[in-house]
Amino acid sequence: MESAALLDSYMVDESKCGAHKPWVEEVCNQIDCPVWFTTKWSGCSVSCGEGVQTRVVECRNTRDQPSNLCDAATKPETTQVCSTGMNCPFRLETSEELLPGLYQTQSLEHSYPAPPMPEKLVGEQEVPSESTFIPEEWGPCSVTCGEGVRRREVFCKIFLEFSRTIAKLPDKQCSGIKPFEFEKCYREPCTEERIGVDIKDDPTNIKVGIGSPAKSYSWKELGFTPCSASCLGGVQELIVHCVRDDNQKVTSPYMCPIELKPEAIVRACNEHSCPPRWSHGEFTECSHSCGLGIQTREVTCIHELTQGGSNTVVVPNSRCPPPSPPDRQYCNVLDCPIRWRVYQWSKCSKSCGGGEKTRQVECKQIMAQNHTVDRPATMCPSPKPLDKKPCNTKSCVIESDKPQISIANSTFIQHDPKKNRVTVKVGGAATLFTGTTVKVKCPVKRFDRSKIQWQKDNAFLPQNKKFKSSKKGALRVQNLSMRDTGLYTCVAGKSSASIMISVRSKPGEFPTSEEIQRQSKMDIVAGIKPPKAEGIGNFYPDDQSHEQRPDGTKNHYK
């Protein structure tokens, strides 16, 4: 009973227990969880319409090894629907077999009219690519002897480039004069056994039989032939046949007396103006050799004023019958060869000391319908274009806080007043005319010249229209005046060099008294010998006086 009581346990306060309390939690599985890795999407499976793209999805751990511990619920998709952005061209459904590899396309600007049904394949008959009247073979002569008539079919036809077929069109779609469908024909002279023939009703299957010599025959006018032109004036010819008097059936012209045959009559017809019609030129060359090209042509609505099309005027499109012929069409809808595509070079990674330029080089293929797909580098031709190249290989110049400035200890004096631009170097002095633009160079070594500063009379110059400092450290002073006389100093780090610039008037120009006094002070500062006592004008050899007589002569003061 006592041992049973010892086995019973009770919860008590933790302070009652001695020693360190055991851990209730511990860290486990301290490695990173594996994640899903995906490759790039493949190219679209079709060249037009909607297709499918695929990619590889793998679960890999931190060691880049396959793993099966990824959460299947978060696995990315391996396929997706893709669209090329181009509608697939429709194929022409006909009872004739079309040439392989060609199909009809639609206009990019507006819907094409429904294509006419093809008649037969190319090769059986030459037909131009614009609507034209094409005559068939002549039928048999209407008589077996003497003079008769034969007939043929004439159709308006056009050659369809894409479907490579010939299609029939209504006659109004063809321009120009329609060829004759009837013409006279002559057989061997009729013999006595053949005189008195009857012509059956079917003109394409006419036979000549033996008639009765007691029947009479006469010439009869049967109207005029169709007009040779639908507008702008054509001609019609009077139709005269020899007929039997009893039944008015056409018979051989040898049965009627030739001396009684009516004279041939030709008259004008359809002299009204032609309605406006569409006119178009040839298609241009294809804009691309592969992928998806476009051909264009000019389509205008014209009004023909005279026969033959030599005198036409362009009128608004609304005056021509709709629809208008297409002004553009697809061409070279083919997959392009696989090629390298290179992009622009990047900027150099370093300004000096050997940098590197890079660019993107990818293996691509432009498919039909003009969309691009990625291809493996092994499919592109060798060699692969460079994607890296060196640049700025010159060593960097180490700047010095006290660089060396090359000084020209010489005096420059401007003699030609017409010379508007003068270049000098720091060191020495320069005497220049007013109105001149001077460029002062500060040749310095082992120093960034863009950091050069300029002073005039120990005061830093601002950057404005008057004073400009270039990236190479040169100072440019525009349109010098007397006020610009002074000491110009270039400051490069702890080094500096100066030049004394004196400005004087051009010959024939006279400075004011204030300008002369200011010039004298500047000359003294610059160490230039002061003018003689006879007159200050001796320093300015062309300045003999400020005054001038009315007659143009100058005053001389003694």
Side-chain angles (χ1 to χ4, degrees):
M1 192 69 177
E2 184 177 356
S3 60
L6 291 174
L7 292 176
D8 292 336
S9 59
Y10 300 94
M11 292 289 294
V12 296
D13 188 79
E14 291 184 0
S15 59
K16 302 291 186 180
C17 292
H20 183 70
K21 181 180 178 180
W23 294 103
V24 295
E25 293 179 354
E26 68 176 356
V27 179
C28 60
N29 293 338
Q30 291 184 288
I31 59 173
D32 293 334
C33 293
V35 294
W36 294 107
F37 283 88
T38 60
T39 61
K40 287 185 177 181
W41 288 106
S42 67
C44 200
S45 61
V46 295
S47 60
C48 62
E50 289 190 349
V52 177
Q53 287 178 296
T54 60
R55 65 177 176 181
V56 177
V57 179
E58 291 182 324
C59 178
R60 290 186 172 273
N61 56 27
T62 54
R63 299 176 184 174
D64 199 24
Q65 295 175 342
S67 174
N68 57 359
L69 300 179
C70 292
D71 186 1
T74 62
K75 182 178 181 180
E77 295 292 336
T78 57
T79 60
Q80 69 175 10
V81 177
C82 59
S83 175
T84 63
M86 301 295 298
N87 294 326
C88 291
F90 66 86
R91 294 188 178 271
L92 197 60
E93 299 295 338
T94 69
S95 58
E96 300 287 341
E97 181 182 359
L98 302 183
L99 295 180
L102 299 174
Y103 54 85
Q104 192 76 11
T105 62
Q106 295 192 31
S107 169
L108 300 181
E109 183 174 351
H110 50 70
S111 299
Y112 285 178
M117 295 300 291
E119 178 186 293
K120 57 181 120 178
L121 293 178
V122 178
E124 298 182 16
Q125 187 177 20
E126 291 187 3
V127 179
S129 58
E130 59 183 30
S131 55
T132 308
F133 284 113
I134 303 296
E136 301 290 333
E137 297 293 331
W138 285 106
C141 193
S142 60
V143 297
T144 57
C145 65
E147 178 183 346
V149 178
R150 64 177 183 174
R151 181 176 180 271
R152 67 178 177 183
E153 297 283 349
V154 179
F155 296 103
C156 179
K157 297 183 180 182
I158 189 171
F159 173 57
L160 303 177
E161 292 283 354
F162 269 112
S163 60
R164 310 294 292 176
T165 57
I166 301 170
K168 292 181 182 178
L169 300 174
D171 286 354
K172 65 180 181 180
Q173 297 292 335
C174 282
S175 58
I177 300 174
K178 183 177 181 180
F180 288 111
E181 295 181 283
F182 297 89
E183 73 172 7
K184 294 179 181 179
C185 58
Y186 301 92
R187 306 298 296 271
E188 61 184 14
C190 294
T191 60
E192 293 181 359
E193 291 80 10
R194 297 183 177 219
I195 297 177
V197 298
D198 289 337
I199 301 177
K200 294 186 177 181
D201 294 335
D202 185 2
T204 62
N205 189 24
I206 297 174
K207 304 293 182 181
V208 179
I210 300 176
S212 171
K215 295 182 174 66
S216 61
Y217 302 89
S218 60
W219 297 103
K220 186 175 183 179
E221 298 179 356
L222 300 177
F224 287 83
T225 60
C227 190
S228 60
S230 60
C231 55
L232 292 177
V235 293
Q236 289 178 300
E237 186 179 359
L238 179 64
I239 300 174
V240 180
H241 284 304
C242 180
V243 298
R244 278 177 51 172
D245 292 334
D246 58 348
N247 58 13
Q248 296 297 303
K249 289 187 177 181
V250 177
T251 185
S252 171
Y254 291 96
M255 303 302 299
C256 294
I258 190 65
E259 65 273 7
L260 297 180
K261 184 176 181 179
E263 294 184 1
I265 299 176
V266 178
R267 68 180 184 184
C269 55
N270 291 341
E271 296 181 293
H272 58 274
S273 62
C274 292
R277 63 180 178 86
W278 293 107
S279 175
H280 57 79
E282 296 293 329
F283 278 107
T284 61
E285 292 186 5
C286 195
S287 59
H288 293 89
S289 60
C290 59
L292 178 65
I294 294 177
Q295 290 176 296
T296 60
R297 65 178 177 181
E298 186 177 2
V299 177
T300 55
C301 180
I302 62 171
H303 193 190
E304 201 169 357
L305 303 180
T306 58
Q307 280 283 9
S310 59
N311 190 6
T312 60
V313 294
V314 178
V315 297
N317 290 350
S318 57
R319 296 187 58 184
C320 279
S324 67
D327 64 348
R328 61 190 61 199
Q329 66 181 11
Y330 293 123
C331 56
N332 292 339
V333 188
L334 308 167
D335 292 344
C336 293
I338 302 174
R339 298 190 181 105
W340 292 107
R341 176 180 289 184
V342 295
Y343 297 85
Q344 292 288 339
W345 287 106
S346 66
K347 292 183 178 180
C348 194
S349 59
K350 294 181 180 180
S351 59
C352 59
E356 188 178 65
K357 286 185 176 182
T358 61
R359 67 177 177 182
Q360 197 173 356
V361 179
E362 297 175 344
C363 186
K364 300 279 188 179
Q365 184 180 19
I366 300 176
M367 309 298 292
Q369 304 293 340
N370 209 35
H371 71 280
T372 305
V373 296
D374 295 329
R375 296 299 186 199
T378 54
M379 296 181 67
C380 272
S382 298
K384 179 181 178 181
L386 295 176
D387 57 359
K388 296 179 182 180
K389 69 177 181 179
C391 56
N392 293 340
T393 55
K394 291 185 179 181
S395 59
C396 297
V397 177
I398 302 174
E399 286 191 16
S400 172
D401 60 347
K402 195 172 183 180
Q404 178 184 354
I405 300 176
S406 178
I407 298 175
N409 290 318
S410 60
T411 301
F412 175 83
I413 299 177
Q414 184 179 3
H415 296 287
D416 185 2
K418 294 182 180 180
K419 190 174 182 180
N420 296 326
R421 295 181 180 273
V422 174
T423 301
V424 296
K425 289 171 59 176
V426 290
T431 303
L432 308 172
F433 289 123
T434 56
T436 302
T437 295
V438 61
K439 179 180 179 182
V440 186
K441 292 184 177 180
C442 182
V444 62
K445 296 181 180 180
R446 304 178 69 84
F447 189 79
D448 186 356
R449 295 185 181 183
S450 62
K451 297 179 181 179
I452 292 176
Q453 295 179 298
W454 285 91
Q455 295 177 343
K456 181 193 174 195
D457 300 332
N458 299 321
F460 284 102
L461 291 173
Q463 284 277 4
N464 52 32
K465 293 183 179 180
K466 182 72 175 177
F467 303 101
K468 291 184 178 179
S469 181
S470 68
K471 292 182 179 179
K472 293 185 178 181
L475 174 67
R476 191 183 301 273
V477 184
Q478 304 278 354
N479 193 18
L480 287 174
S481 64
M482 293 291 189
R483 297 179 183 177
D484 296 323
T485 298
L487 185 67
Y488 290 82
T489 305
C490 73
V491 180
K494 295 180 179 180
S495 300
S496 63
S498 303
I499 182 174
M500 182 64 198
I501 296 179
S502 300
V503 184
R504 63 174 179 172
S505 299
K506 292 181 179 180
E509 296 180 358
F510 309 106
T512 63
S513 300
E514 293 179 358
E515 290 175 339
I516 293 174
Q517 292 176 2
R518 186 183 303 111
Q519 183 66 47
S520 299
K521 292 179 180 179
M522 293 298 179
D523 290 345
I524 294 172
V525 173
I528 299 174
K529 186 177 180 180
K532 296 180 180 179
E534 293 91 79
I536 200 166
N538 291 339
F539 182 70
Y540 303 97
D542 298 305
D543 276 356
Q544 297 187 5
S545 174
H546 291 154
E547 299 181 5
Q548 198 168 12
R549 293 180 182 177
D551 59 1
T553 60
K554 298 180 180 178
N555 289 329
H556 297 274
Y557 295 94
K558 296 182 179 179

